Structures are given as structure tokens and as C-alpha cells.
Amino acid sequence: VSAIEEIKLESAPKVNRRSRASSQFWAWLGLSGSVLPLGLAWVISHAGLAYSQAVVAVFLGVLASGLVIAVGALAGKRSGLPTLLLSRAPFGVFANAAPAGVLTLVRFFWSSAILVALAMLAKDIFKVQEISAYASTANIYLYVTAFGLIAGAIALAIFGGRVLFRAQQAAGVVGVVAAITLVIATANTFSIQDLLSQPTSSWNSAFGAAVLTFSVYGLAWTSAGADFARKLSTNARGAAVVGWGALALVLVPTLVVAYGLALFGSLQISKPASGAGEYALGTFIGDLATLIAPWVSYTLIGSALVSGIVILAMSLYSSNLSLHSLGLKLQPGVAQPIIGVLVIALATAALLL
């Protein structure tokens, strides 16, 4: 039996739908348990919000995200279909090409954004000054690393199914271990009482932080809820599906971001003078290395790379499902390298422009 998941347009047969409701926790833990929540905390810590306001904003943002994704997961469980095939019901087979085409492009650009973020992290690690300096040794390391990341993501997306699920589990575990390591190293660096006593600022800014959080988690993955739930057992309870999903998409990121906000607020990390690199992923990792210990940054970098590969693979996997909804019925071994080349081209253009 081939380890590569077979992609079909019809509903997943009941005999193949054996996943438990708890699989929704692992499917999304690689996203919410990664370095991404810490990066979000670093960004929001520069918004001038009181600690309590920032935590409330993040909670509301991830709660909205979790509910939206849970709706898609329930639809996927009941139908056994990915999102863009489900949308044929309200739009019709032919009219569905309009939203499916738009969403396919969005998924391509989102995959490119993930690759750009990983490339910027690698750029910071290798201290690359100019990406277009092709002969530089540091740049060669950067190109090789970027190729390895996209190749790993494409391979996972080709296999899909159980292989991708195991990778999601592994990324989630690595992310949680990295978060626990950070807590152990920094638990005595701040006072919760001092943070809670901070005077509140404008709630309009807090609303903006909630919208940013929803954009990072909800808007980016709303259309993928059914994609990673269509193999759930028909006997799985809807409440359990929502509950396990909420645990990964709401509770975990809220805890990680809350701790990150406390840490960054207590360390009083100064805002970079240059706006271009202000919110770069590597910047807050570099700050932690400087202010705490270099080994902390190595742990976070490892987690970021593992999670980045898996998150990119999830996006590529959903992109192929989008192509199927448009009638481009390419097998994963053919479709994923093509999608990968398009994503690389978009990411390269974004980095060089």
C-alpha cells in the first residue's frame, strides 16, 4: 500500500474515516504551539497596551479564529469533503470556480509568505547582508537552507495523510518543549503583580491587536478547517471535535502569548530604529539570545524551522485540494513540485523587490 495519500473529489469513504476527534488537537498544535505565538507576543508588546489588555485582545482573537476553523472542521467531518468542494453546494459546480480561484491564489501567496518568514529567519541566522549577493558564503548557506525547507515541505505535502499528521504531531511536541524550556529559563524574570497593575490604554488599540491575532490564525486558516477534518470518523462527536480544536487553537496560543507578553514586557526590549526589520521573526529571537542566553535562541530557532516546514506543508497540501476543486486533478507527486516552484518564485520576488 502506498504511503502517499490518494486525492479524490468525492467524499472520503467511511472505511477510511478512522481519525478520532483528538486528532484535531494534533493537527493544529504544530501551528499554535510553535514560535508563531511568541512572535505575535513580541509584535503586540510594542503596541503600547497594558498587559491585561493585550492578553484579552489575544484571547478574543484566537477565540474567534478557533470558532471559525471549528465550523469548517465540523462541515468536513460530516461530509468527508475539503472546504472548496463543500462550497459547491451554495455556489454550484461551475460558479464555485470564482471563489475557489481566488482562494487558490490566496493560498499560494500565504505559502509564499510562510517561506519568506522562514527565509528571513535564516537570513538573520547566517547574518546575510544582501540576498542578491549570490557568491557570498553566507548567501550560499541561506539558499541551501531555503531549498531544504521547501523540499521538506513539498515531500510532506506529497505524502499527506498519516505522514503529514505525524509531522504535525512532531512539530507540536517540539514547539511545546521549546516553550517549556523558555519558561524554565525565564520564569523568575518578571512579576505578574507588576504587570497586572499597569494602567490601561486605548481599547481601540486592543481591538486592533485582536484583529491582528484573528488575521494571523483565523483568516489564514479558515478555509482549511475541513481539509484537515474530512478523515474524522462519522461517529466522532461534534462537541469533541470543537473541544479538541479549541484546546489547540485557543488555550495553547493564549497561554504562550500571555507568557511571551509578560517576558517581553519585563525585559523592556527596545524598539528597533529601522522600521523595515522591526517585526522580523529573527529579531525577537536575537533579543532573547542577547538578554537571556544564546542557547535559548537555538532552541527557538530549531522549533521555528520544524514548525515552519510543517505549516508550509499544510498550506501546500490545501493548495493542491484547491486545484482539484478547479478541475486540475493532478496527483500529489506532480502537483506539489509545481506548486512549490510557484511559491518559490513568489517568495523570491518578494525578497528581491
Side-chain angles (χ1 to χ4, degrees), residues 44 47-54 56-57 198-210:
I44 295 177
L49 297 173
Y51 176 74
S52 57
Q53 284 181 302
V56 169
Q198 293 176 351
T200 59
S201 59
S202 170
W203 281 99
N204 289 332
S205 299
F207 178 74

Side-chain angles (χ1 to χ4, degrees), residues 63-80:
L63 178 62
S65 302
L67 291 176
V68 170
I69 294 174
V71 170
L74 285 175
K77 190 222 39 129
R78 292 172 179 173
S79 65

Side-chain angles (χ1 to χ4, degrees), residues 58 67 74 103 122 124 145 150 154 165 228 249 283 306:
V58 168
L67 291 176
L74 285 175
L103 192 53
D124 187 72
T145 301
I150 189 67
I154 290 173
F165 177 70
F228 298 102
L249 288 165
T283 305
V306 172

Side-chain angles (χ1 to χ4, degrees), residues 37-38 41-42 45 51 182 254-266:
L38 283 176
W42 191 87
S45 69
Y51 176 74
L182 180 64
T254 298
L255 292 176
V256 175
V257 173
Y259 188 85
L261 287 168
L263 177 61
F264 294 131
S266 64

